[in-house]
Amino acid sequence: MNYASFTAADGSPTWGVIIDAQAYDLGPTGLNLAPTLRAAVEQGIFGALGEEFRTAPVRPEADIEFLPAITDPGKVICIGVNYRSHQNETGNAAHQKEQKAPTIFTRFADSQMGHLQPALMPATTNEFDYEGEMALVIGKQAWHVAEDEAFDYVAGYSAYNDFSVRDWQLATTQWTPGKNFPGTGGFGPYLVPAADLGDVTKLTLETRVNGDVRQKASVADLYFTIPQLIAYITGFTPLSPGDVIVTGTPGGVGRFMTPSGLLNEGDVVEVEITGLGVLRNTVVPSA
């Protein structure tokens, strides 16, 4: 079942499920099962619906405005250089073979946008790039989680586009500035329960720019696996329901293409992951 955050007919934020291109409002303007999708995860509603959703107010999916799948995560933790193909294109493969822990940076929740919302290219850069990724959402309090128990803490999965402002990212060894401009964290369109997907290592991630395939990889190609990521992250910070881990991007980013594949105004970027739908954002200059 596809869950999503979106705006109600009156423009206020809500959430619900999307079935057969129809959006059922389960939030404050509908059945009011929980105030947000994050709260639904915390309360155990997410992934546990019966047929009661069919009594909710409904609108065509084409009429809703998508919000980030989780609009109010307490933490968004991103993993850098975590596909072997991306390690190779960055020239870091030899170093990565000896790396004992994942590269981690954070993204602020207010830098995110939803499906079909513009990706805002800052006026201060000519180095705007895409990074198609798979995100996971934590389903329960997680602290010092063992690898063999890690999947028990995952509520669901979604597509993510970690749009990157490369000159700001690479100005120092700390990447945070280049990863937190407004309107650069595409998240959605749907959040799909983990139980609906089965073995996520069998999923395929594909990123397209104006229809041209730039990235394509199996989730099985992650260098640090999902259990390893959860175990490591919860070794230094507790995670709460609704927190997000963005697991890394494959090779094929624009910066390392010849000629350059960096983004321009009007480019349409799509991230498609098996079973998670297509996240689509168009590049627009930031005001």
Side-chain angles (χ1 to χ4, degrees), residues 6-8 10-15 25 27-29 35 67 71:
F6 50 89
T7 57
D10 65 2
S12 61
T14 191
W15 66 278
D25 189 345
T29 53
L67 300 172
T71 57

Side-chain angles (χ1 to χ4, degrees), residues 174-211:
Q174 303 300 315
W175 296 352
T176 299
K179 299 288 191 170
N180 280 287
F181 279 80
T184 60
F187 187 14
Y190 313 122
L191 180 63
V192 179
D196 292 359
L197 292 170
D199 183 358
V200 292
T201 65
K202 297 184 182 299
L203 306 185
T204 297
L205 183 157
E206 181 174 289
T207 305
R208 300 181 290 270
V209 179
N210 302 324

Side-chain angles (χ1 to χ4, degrees), residues 3 15 33-48 70 72-74 137-142 153-156 191 239-243:
Y3 290 72
W15 66 278
L33 298 183
T36 63
L37 185 49
R38 175 187 174 184
V41 171
E42 188 171 20
Q43 295 171 25
I45 297 169
F46 175 78
I70 298 291
D72 56 343
V137 173
I138 295 296
K140 58 184 179 181
Q141 290 293 330
Y153 290 80
V154 180
L191 180 63
L239 297 178
S240 299
D243 285 348

Side-chain angles (χ1 to χ4, degrees), residues 104-151:
I104 289 179
F105 59 94
T106 57
R107 178 177 276 281
F108 307 141
D110 64 1
S111 71
Q112 299 185 128
M113 71 286 194
H115 171 58
L116 299 178
Q117 296 302 297
L120 300 180
M121 181 171 63
T124 56
T125 188
N126 293 312
E127 298 183 29
F128 198 49
D129 211 347
Y130 54 87
E131 290 192 6
E133 311 197 24
M134 187 178 76
L136 65 88
V137 173
I138 295 296
K140 58 184 179 181
Q141 290 293 330
W143 181 229
H144 296 304
V145 174
E147 286 185 26
D148 60 359
E149 298 177 349
F151 281 120

Side-chain angles (χ1 to χ4, degrees), residues 76-269:
V76 182
I77 297 178
C78 302
I79 311 301
V81 199
N82 197 34
Y83 276 83
R84 291 171 175 82
S85 56
H86 191 39
Q87 294 170 2
N88 289 334
E89 72 179 356
T90 62
N92 287 330
H95 167 70
Q96 298 296 127
K97 288 180 180 179
E98 299 179 357
Q99 188 172 345
K100 304 302 182 185
T103 298
I104 289 179
F105 59 94
T106 57
R107 178 177 276 281
F108 307 141
D110 64 1
S111 71
Q112 299 185 128
M113 71 286 194
H115 171 58
L116 299 178
Q117 296 302 297
L120 300 180
M121 181 171 63
T124 56
T125 188
N126 293 312
E127 298 183 29
F128 198 49
D129 211 347
Y130 54 87
E131 290 192 6
E133 311 197 24
M134 187 178 76
L136 65 88
V137 173
I138 295 296
K140 58 184 179 181
Q141 290 293 330
W143 181 229
H144 296 304
V145 174
E147 286 185 26
D148 60 359
E149 298 177 349
F151 281 120
D152 295 339
Y153 290 80
V154 180
Y157 298 88
S158 185
Y160 209 98
N161 197 331
D162 181 35
F163 287 96
S164 301
V165 184
R166 296 298 190 197
D167 45 351
W168 282 78
Q169 176 192 351
L170 301 173
T172 73
T173 58
Q174 303 300 315
W175 296 352
T176 299
K179 299 288 191 170
N180 280 287
F181 279 80
T184 60
F187 187 14
Y190 313 122
L191 180 63
V192 179
D196 292 359
L197 292 170
D199 183 358
V200 292
T201 65
K202 297 184 182 299
L203 306 185
T204 297
L205 183 157
E206 181 174 289
T207 305
R208 300 181 290 270
V209 179
N210 302 324
D212 178 40
V213 176
R214 297 284 186 87
Q215 298 178 292
K216 189 167 186 176
S218 168
V219 175
D221 293 338
L222 286 170
Y223 186 80
F224 290 101
T225 66
I226 289 169
Q228 288 174 323
L229 294 176
I230 293 173
Y232 181 77
I233 292 166
T234 62
F236 72 85
T237 187
L239 297 178
S240 299
D243 285 348
V244 180
I245 299 174
V246 187
T247 58
T249 198
V253 300
R255 182 174 186 269
F256 295 103
M257 294 181 64
T258 305
S260 171
L262 292 168
L263 296 170
N264 298 297
E265 179 181 354
D267 284 343
V268 178
V269 188

